[in-house]
Amino acid sequence: ALARVYVTRRVPPDGLRILRQSGQVQFELWDSDDPVPRKELLKRVEGVEGLLCVLTEKIDSEVLEAAGPNLKVVSTMSVGYDHLSLPELKKRGIRVGYTPDVLTDAVAELTVALLLATSRRLIEAVEEAKTGGWGTWRTMWLCGYELNQSTVGIMGLGRIGVAIAERLKPFGVKRFIYTDVAPRTELASKIQAEYVTMDELARESDFLAVCCALTPETQGICNHSLFSKMKKTAVFINTSRGPVVNQEDLYEALSSGQIAAAGLDVTTPEPLPPDHPLFKLKNCVILPHIASASYTTRNSMSALAANNLLAGLKGEPMPKELKL
Ligand code: GLV
Ligand code: GLV
């Protein structure tokens, strides 16, 4: 018999094709670009063996209870897994697939784009040019900060942090430093990055890129205590998860000139309401969580999520399985 599967979103075509052509599953799809309503999700998961989800779905004990004992595999089309209650999954012996590696290059590329847009004030500049602010060429107008001869700090050195550093190096970066729960010697050696304390990271970074996972330990770790130690000329970039940052503290740091600017691809909540104070700041560039959004990468993520799901349902090793 075909395994019953629920897919919580209209995922890119490669993933759906793999599921269709597998001859292994019968899947029901929430065929929309918008998230499935919670009530609908709780109803649709009943009795399924597999669940393919995206990061807007909180997969907690309520969903797992609604699914029942048939559920064997949860496959998320994301590298982040903070929306999954891992202890609850582990307790039930449910295997978990996710999508690292295939998105590393796209996320690193977007992080560099966001960093440059923020440090060289591109959004502000485009706005000025369009709306009459461009009176004449001025010597100090719209000046920003350059990567050349800079120190770049990476908070949480994983695959993505390394890929960002590799792309930034040719801009003339002088030094890479990083923090993590422990030294990541092998990864760090690829970019000659130096392991430092949080304090040093804050004090010495000209650019600080947050690349860590959201966990109870990293929640709110970018707060007043961090920002107050940073250079007034520092540029802060977050492409990990919004809750890693205390947003009130960030607002304070940006509006008081404690730091120079921030570029955020992730916020709390998402979407960030259009009337949020951060949107009023010229020195804050906010993107709507698009770091992995290239056609190629989103298709690869959906394909990997589908392949993880199928392998898990067969009891085989998944291409990318999260160790619980
Ligand atoms: C995106 O944020 C992801 O976790 O894949
Ligand atoms: C800038 O356009 C310059 O000529 O310096």
Side-chain angles (χ1 to χ4, degrees):
L2 299 178
R4 271 186 59 216
V5 163
Y6 189 60
V7 181
T8 70
R9 191 71 67 90
R10 186 190 299 150
V11 296
D14 284 7
L16 292 178
R17 198 174 305 120
I18 288 167
L19 292 183
R20 250 183 230 114
Q21 291 174 353
S22 70
Q24 191 192 328
V25 295
Q26 173 197 350
F27 68 90
E28 194 184 347
L29 173 69
W30 178 254
D31 194 9
S32 167
D33 240 357
D34 293 324
V36 57
R38 182 77 178 176
K39 261 180 73 180
E40 186 74 13
L41 174 66
L42 292 172
K43 196 162 77 191
R44 297 292 163 192
V45 294
E46 199 186 317
V48 298
E49 286 180 54
L51 186 59
L52 197 160
C53 68
V54 296
L55 56 84
T56 49
E57 272 74 70
K58 202 166 181 48
I59 306 300
D60 53 12
S61 62
E62 190 185 23
V63 172
L64 301 178
E65 285 307 314
N70 288 347
L71 186 60
K72 287 208 216 31
V73 183
V74 170
S75 172
T76 183
M77 191 188 121
S78 62
V79 67
Y81 45 81
D82 50 282
H83 56 302
L84 311 176
S85 300
L86 300 186
E88 295 292 332
L89 287 153
K90 187 183 163 106
K91 199 166 81 186
R92 292 170 175 79
I94 297 168
R95 293 171 65 191
V96 176
Y98 71 137
T99 64
D101 300 323
V102 293
L103 50 52
T104 300
D105 291 342
V107 171
E109 186 173 288
L110 186 283
T111 305
V112 173
L114 176 58
L115 185 151
L116 289 170
T118 306
S119 59
R120 298 300 301 271
R121 304 169 63 178
L122 296 197
I123 310 304
E124 221 186 315
V126 168
E127 207 50 38
E128 290 281 2
K130 272 203 296 216
T131 59
W134 187 5
T136 180
W137 188 90
R138 302 185 187 98
T139 59
M140 297 291 278
W141 189 44
L142 288 170
C143 282
Y145 299 95
E146 59 185 77
L147 278 161
N148 191 36
Q149 290 303 309
S150 69
T151 293
V152 171
I154 299 169
M155 188 182 295
L157 188 70
R159 300 159 290 237
I160 292 173
V162 169
I164 292 169
E166 285 169 345
R167 283 159 179 75
L168 291 181
K169 182 142 184 83
F171 285 91
V173 172
K174 191 176 64 190
R175 183 172 175 235
F176 289 104
I177 55 180
Y178 75 101
T179 56
D180 210 308
V181 287
R184 309 283 302 256
T185 317
E186 204 170 306
L187 280 175
S189 71
K190 293 188 185 186
I191 52 166
Q192 277 111 45
E194 204 180 310
Y195 188 62
V196 297
T197 63
M198 255 323 221
D199 242 56
E200 290 172 280
L201 191 82
R203 287 185 209 289
E204 289 170 34
S205 297
D206 296 301
F207 297 84
L208 205 171
V210 181
C211 303
C212 59
L214 172 60
T215 65
E217 290 71 39
T218 62
Q219 174 138 13
I221 199 172
C222 300
N223 55 19
H224 175 75
S225 159
L226 180 93
F227 298 131
S228 64
K229 290 170 197 145
M230 287 173 68
K231 300 181 184 182
K232 285 191 160 39
T233 53
V235 174
F236 176 83
I237 303 295
N238 185 12
T239 49
S240 65
R241 283 292 182 268
V244 169
V245 175
N246 179 318
Q247 255 170 212
E248 284 76 48
D249 290 359
L250 176 62
Y251 180 85
E252 179 59 28
L254 287 170
S255 55
S256 69
Q258 232 169 65
I259 67 172
L264 312 173
D265 185 48
V266 288
T267 58
T268 311
E270 292 181 9
L272 194 66
D275 62 354
H276 194 280
L278 279 178
F279 278 122
K280 308 227 154 48
L281 297 177
K282 285 188 177 178
N283 57 349
C284 189
V285 176
I286 299 173
L287 301 178
H289 204 148
I290 57 165
S292 66
S294 77
Y295 294 108
T296 307
T297 289
R298 286 286 168 85
N299 259 306
S300 303
M301 290 166 69
S302 78
L304 178 52
N307 285 322
N308 283 338
L309 183 77
L310 294 173
L313 288 171
K314 279 197 279 198
E316 291 172 358
M318 292 185 196
K320 296 291 172 189
E321 181 162 359
L322 195 64
K323 308 262 173 301
L324 297 184

